Amino acid sequence: MIDIGIKTIGFFIAVFSFSVLINSPRKYLLWAGIAGAASGFIYIICVETGWNPVIASFWSALAAGLISHIFARILKAPVTMFLIGGILPTVPGNGIYQIMNSMLQNDRVMTGYYLTQTIEIAGAIALAIFLMDTLFKVIRRGDWKQDSLRYTGGMEERKKRDDWKYCRSCTDDRSEYFID
């Protein structure tokens, strides 16, 4: 357990330092470090419990996306300010190194293995970020309503726009709505 705590502190220091390196505003450095530490903590917990690194990267990136969106809303900053630092602990840098190392040693089997795993991890990170962004867009818009089998979002807006269809006093002659 102490080992996980030390690694989490290491993730915080690494992401904080990386944020300084890419010239993030000073008021967001601490928050970017927290996002990276939380993401790294979830990754370490998943790997320590025996999960596949691809699945661990997915859950870690999902948490990074959630934390980044929450921090962005609270601090009124762009999401990428925290998301870049948040996914930093899950980026498969070791896999990319292993690909190049096994290519230089002419070991095609291990090159294929590390290449496949690295692409899977990158895809899992991208999928997690996409899912979290989509979730927050749906929540922000607030017009997601489901009527058993079909999407009926924004129905109230369509009714307001098409009021003439529902008005009893309107004439049946709709030619006045069209411009000649």
Side-chain angles (χ1 to χ4, degrees):
M1 194 65 170
I2 294 174
D3 186 39
I4 294 173
I6 291 172
K7 288 180 182 178
T8 304
I9 292 170
F11 284 130
F12 175 81
I13 293 170
V15 171
F16 185 88
S17 301
F18 182 76
S19 298
V20 170
L21 184 68
I22 63 171
N23 292 326
S24 292
R26 299 186 100 185
K27 62 182 176 179
Y28 303 131
L29 293 177
L30 176 70
W31 300 104
I34 292 171
S39 173
F41 176 75
I42 291 174
Y43 180 79
I44 291 297
I45 292 294
C46 290
V47 169
E48 292 286 328
T49 55
W51 288 18
N52 186 354
V54 177
I55 303 299
S57 295
F58 174 77
W59 285 109
S60 176
L62 201 66
L66 176 68
I67 292 167
S68 298
H69 276 280
I70 290 171
F71 286 171
R73 301 298 187 280
I74 292 171
L75 301 171
K76 297 185 180 8
V79 175
T80 53
M81 193 72 60
F82 312 106
L83 187 61
I84 292 172
I87 64 169
L88 192 63
T90 54
V91 172
N94 183 37
I96 296 169
Y97 168 77
Q98 293 294 340
I99 292 168
M100 291 307 298
N101 189 25
S102 54
M103 282 177 72
L104 291 174
Q105 293 178 0
N106 206 17
D107 187 0
R108 293 178 186 218
V109 174
M110 292 309 290
T111 301
Y113 169 75
Y114 288 122
L115 179 65
T116 304
Q117 187 179 31
T118 302
I119 290 172
E120 287 175 349
I121 290 172
I125 293 170
L127 179 64
I129 292 170
F130 171 75
L131 287 175
M132 198 53 64
D133 282 345
T134 304
L135 177 71
F136 270 86
K137 282 182 184 175
V138 167
I139 289 171
R140 185 182 66 204
R141 256 193 336 197
D143 68 343
W144 178 266
K145 295 176 185 144
Q146 191 166 353
D147 181 16
S148 71
L149 297 175
R150 66 174 196 244
Y151 170 71
T152 61
M155 200 61 155
E156 294 81 21
E157 289 297 321
R158 277 187 233 124
K159 283 183 181 177
K160 287 178 189 173
R161 187 177 49 216
D162 299 336
D163 260 348
W164 60 271
K165 289 181 183 177
Y166 306 106
C167 180
R168 290 180 186 230
S169 64
C170 295
T171 62
D172 287 331
D173 183 23
R174 296 184 187 146
S175 61
E176 63 188 68
Y177 295 106
F178 298 101
I179 299 174
D180 293 329

